[in-house]
Structure formats: structure tokens, C-alpha cells
């Protein structure tokens, strides 16, 4: 199986290097940005292709590691060439294989293959992606082949349905991008306490990393700590008193999620006061909004 990459960004670099390090056959790279494709081919010890047509002819499967908005455009270009029997794969978390319109009529097979992993560095992330879950969706003909392919690299693999892709991607955003927003919110509150940015980020670092590690290792329920778990109404009310706007709303909404976790963890504990507190908080927010 000769695998070619269309696009030479972080994902293209990472997957190509990961595959070659595992002994898989990567034919090489084509990209509109010639220099990036040359760099990717050098990095993976594969070949640079000057045209999409040449890469297509030299590959049994093509991975379209381009931005989501460019996938359909690249696919329309691929239709110009003989692709019968080939697998055409993209790595979007949000898009399904349906973007490859008319692919079955051309005798080819479309797949969305997504690593559940934040590719942060094109030269280093290949060392860490062995830990990532891969999700696969697409044509039945070679679905098991791609499952076994990534399974042979040591990655857990999960099949999903096309209609689940957006919900699935939302889950990834909650656990990754939105966590970044929460960390930044914590930093901004420390800035109000007189910290400079560097010291604020450093101060939260150990707390943030240790908690994330704990959640990942033992699950949200066992990792849960803090005033919501304890039903510490006094502390929570003090927090609400000093928070306003979006920060206050985020605090309440996420605390309600934590309350659900806490109720399951401690069925013997009375959380009625918390539920009432959230209701009062919501009414106060509505009253404040109506007065603006």
C-alpha cells in the first residue's frame, strides 16, 4: 500500500513521519506550497511530486491533509485522473466521507480518518501520536483494512457513522479547545489579582496538568474535587459574588455539570441547596440583563 499525501502542513508531516517510522510505504508529497512539500518529503525520506497527477499515479491511497475548506476542491481536481481502486482519505474531524461526491461511480473508495489528537508541532508530534485514538468512517469495501492498518501501528481504532461526525468533533472541541479557553479564563482572573501573565500561567500549570492527568487516568467522577463536590454553598456563593458576565455564566453552567457528576459519586449527599443556588443565580442574571 503506497500512501501519498496531498498537503504538507502539521498533520501531513506528522502522519507521514509516523507511518514511515513504523515501516509503512509512503510514496511522498504534493502541495501547492512547493517548499513545504519538499520539506515534508525530506523529513520523511520520501519523494516530492511536482504535480497532483504524478502523486496520484504513484499512490494506492491518498491522504488529503489540507484544511477542511480545501478538501472538496482537491477532490474535484482528483476526479480528473484515474483513481479506480484507490482509497481517498481526508483527516477532518468534522467532515464525513460524503464530501467525496460521486466517488463510487469512479470506482474509488472514500474515507474520513481522524486522529483524536492535537497536532501541535509538525516536527515533533509524530513521537506522540501513537497514543491517539483514530476514528474511521467511509466505504465498506476497505473499512476493515484501514482499521487493521492503524491498529497494526498500535493505535486504538473506532468506527463511527457519517451522521455522527459533527457530534464527535464537538466532543473533541470540549475536551481540547474549550479547555484552553478555561485555562485562559483562570489566567485572566489571576491577572486581576495582580499577577503578570507569565507568573499566572506558571502558577496554574501544575494544578492544570495534574488535574487533566487525573481525569484522563481515573475518569471525571473519581478525579472530581472542589466546592461543588463538597456542596460548599458558602464558597460557591462567594465565587458568584466576585464573578460577572461570561465568566459567571461559564462558572454556573460547568458547575451544574459537576453537580451531576457529584450526585452520582455521592448519592448519600444532599445537593438540593446547589440546585436552588443555580436557579437563584439564573434569575439574578435575567434581572441584571433586563436592567441594562
Amino acid at each position: 500500500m503506497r500512501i501519498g499525501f496531498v498537503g504538507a502542513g502539521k498533520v501531513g508531516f506528522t502522519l507521514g513521519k509516523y507511518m514511515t517510522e513504523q515501516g509503512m510505504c509512503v510514496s511522498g508529497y504534493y502541495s501547492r506550497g512547493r517548499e513545504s512539500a519538499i520539506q515534508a518529503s525530506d523529513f520523511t525520506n520520501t519523494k516530492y511530486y511536482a504535480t497532483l497527477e504524478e502523486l496520484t499515479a504513484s499512490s494506492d491511497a491518498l491522504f488529503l491533509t489540507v484544511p477542511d475548506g480545501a478538501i472538496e476542491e482537491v477532490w474535484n481536481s482528483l476526479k480528473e485522473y484515474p483513481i479506480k481502486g484507490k482509497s481517498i482519505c481526508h483527516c477532518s474531524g468534522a467532515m464525513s466521507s460524503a464530501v467525496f461526491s460521486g466517488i463510487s461511480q469512479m470506482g474509488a473508495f472514500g474515507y474520513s480518518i481522524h486522529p483524536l489528537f492535537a497536532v501541535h508541532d509538525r516536527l515533533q508530534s509524530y513521537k506522540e501520536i501513537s497514543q491517539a485514538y483514530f476514528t474511521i468512517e467511509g466505504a465498506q469495501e476497505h473499512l476493515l483494512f484501514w482499521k487493521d492498518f492503524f491498529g497494526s501501528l498500535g493505535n486504538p481504532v473506532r468506527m463511527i457513522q457519517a451522521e455522527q461526525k459533527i457530534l464527535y468533533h464537538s466532543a473533541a472541541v470540549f475536551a481540547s479547545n474549550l479547555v484552553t479557553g478555561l485555562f485562559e479564563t483562570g489566567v485572566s482572573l489571576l491577572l486581576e489579582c495582580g499577577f503578570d501573565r507569565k507568573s499566572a500561567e506558571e502558577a496554574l500549570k501544575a494544578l492544570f496538568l495534574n488535574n487533566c492527568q487525573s481525569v484522563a487516568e481515573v475518569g471525571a467522577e473519581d478525579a472530581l474535587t472542589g466546592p461543588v463536590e463538597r456542596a460548599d454553598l458558602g464558597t460557591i456563593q462567594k465565587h458568584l459574588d466576585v464573578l460577572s458576565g461570561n465568566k459567571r455564566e461559564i462558572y454556573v453552567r460547568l458547575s451544574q455539570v459537576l453537580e451531576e457528576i457529584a450526585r452520582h459519586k455521592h448519592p448519600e449527599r444532599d445537593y438540593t441547596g446547589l440546585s436552588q443556588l443555580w436557579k437563584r443565580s439564573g434569575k439574578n442574571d435575567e434581572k441584571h440583563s433586563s436592567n441594562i
Side-chain angles (χ1 to χ4, degrees):
M1 173 63 72
R2 299 167 301 166
I3 298 173
F5 284 87
V6 182
K10 290 187 290 187
V11 175
F13 264 72
T14 297
L15 288 181
K17 184 68 170 178
Y18 182 50
M19 290 177 187
T20 56
E21 288 285 300
Q22 297 286 334
M24 301 301 174
C25 181
V26 173
S27 50
Y29 289 81
Y30 163 78
S31 177
R32 283 182 175 176
R34 178 175 178 273
E35 288 303 316
S36 62
I38 291 174
Q39 291 170 6
S41 62
D42 289 343
F43 182 60
T44 56
N45 196 29
T46 60
K47 183 178 178 181
Y48 159 69
Y49 289 86
T51 68
L52 179 59
E53 183 177 12
E54 291 173 328
L55 175 66
T56 302
S58 298
S59 306
D60 302 306
L62 291 173
F63 274 69
L64 278 52
T65 50
V66 297
D68 286 12
I71 291 174
E72 186 172 7
E73 180 183 354
V74 175
W75 165 238
N76 288 333
S77 297
L78 283 173
K79 291 178 181 180
E80 305 289 326
Y81 312 124
I83 57 172
K84 185 176 181 180
K86 299 182 188 291
S87 288
I88 311 298
C89 314
H90 69 69
C91 297
S92 167
M95 298 175 69
S96 75
S97 60
V99 68
F100 301 129
S101 59
I103 192 169
S104 59
Q105 287 83 357
M106 303 187 72
F109 310 97
Y111 301 92
S112 60
I113 299 177
H114 181 250
L116 199 52
F117 180 79
V119 180
H120 59 87
D121 189 301
R122 66 177 188 167
L123 301 181
Q124 298 296 325
S125 288
Y126 77 92
K127 299 175 183 177
E128 305 160 352
I129 202 169
S130 60
Q131 307 166 32
Y133 245 89
F134 275 75
T135 57
I136 302 176
E137 171 276 318
Q140 287 294 323
E141 285 84 351
H142 301 298
L143 204 55
L144 289 179
F145 168 82
W146 288 112
K147 181 178 184 293
D148 291 342
F149 177 90
F150 285 99
S152 72
L153 300 182
N155 296 92
V157 180
R158 179 90 179 191
M159 307 292 203
I160 64 174
Q161 301 300 314
E163 60 271 18
Q164 296 172 327
K165 286 285 290 192
I166 293 296
L167 190 61
Y168 155 81
H169 193 247
S170 298
V173 168
F174 266 100
S176 178
N177 308 131
L178 295 184
V179 173
T180 304
L182 290 177
F183 185 84
E184 176 61 21
T185 300
V187 169
S188 69
L189 291 173
L190 286 187
L191 293 178
E192 293 181 31
C193 296
F195 284 68
D196 60 79
R197 173 164 289 276
K198 183 178 180 180
S199 61
E201 292 175 347
E202 189 63 30
L204 292 175
K205 180 179 178 180
L207 176 67
F208 179 77
L209 292 177
N210 289 337
N211 188 64
C212 287
Q213 187 72 24
S214 179
V215 171
E217 289 181 353
V218 303
E221 185 173 304
D222 286 340
L224 180 63
T225 63
V228 171
E229 184 195 18
R230 299 191 301 269
D232 184 350
L233 301 181
T235 297
I236 294 171
Q237 184 61 63
K238 290 176 182 177
H239 291 167
L240 293 174
D241 290 342
V242 298
L243 296 173
S244 61
N246 290 336
K247 291 184 178 69
R248 193 173 193 274
E249 183 176 357
I250 291 169
Y251 183 98
V252 170
R253 299 293 179 238
L254 290 181
S255 293
Q256 288 174 313
V257 175
L258 297 184
E259 183 191 341
E260 293 178 13
I261 299 171
R263 284 179 178 276
H264 190 268
K265 183 177 182 179
H266 301 290
E268 78 289 350
R269 192 169 292 174
D270 184 7
Y271 288 97
T272 305
L274 272 183
S275 299
Q276 294 173 345
L277 180 58
W278 308 138
K279 290 179 181 178
R280 290 198 301 272
S281 174
K283 289 179 180 178
N284 288 338
D285 287 344
E286 289 177 7
K287 182 178 179 181
H288 175 70
S289 296
S290 64
N291 290 333
I292 294 177

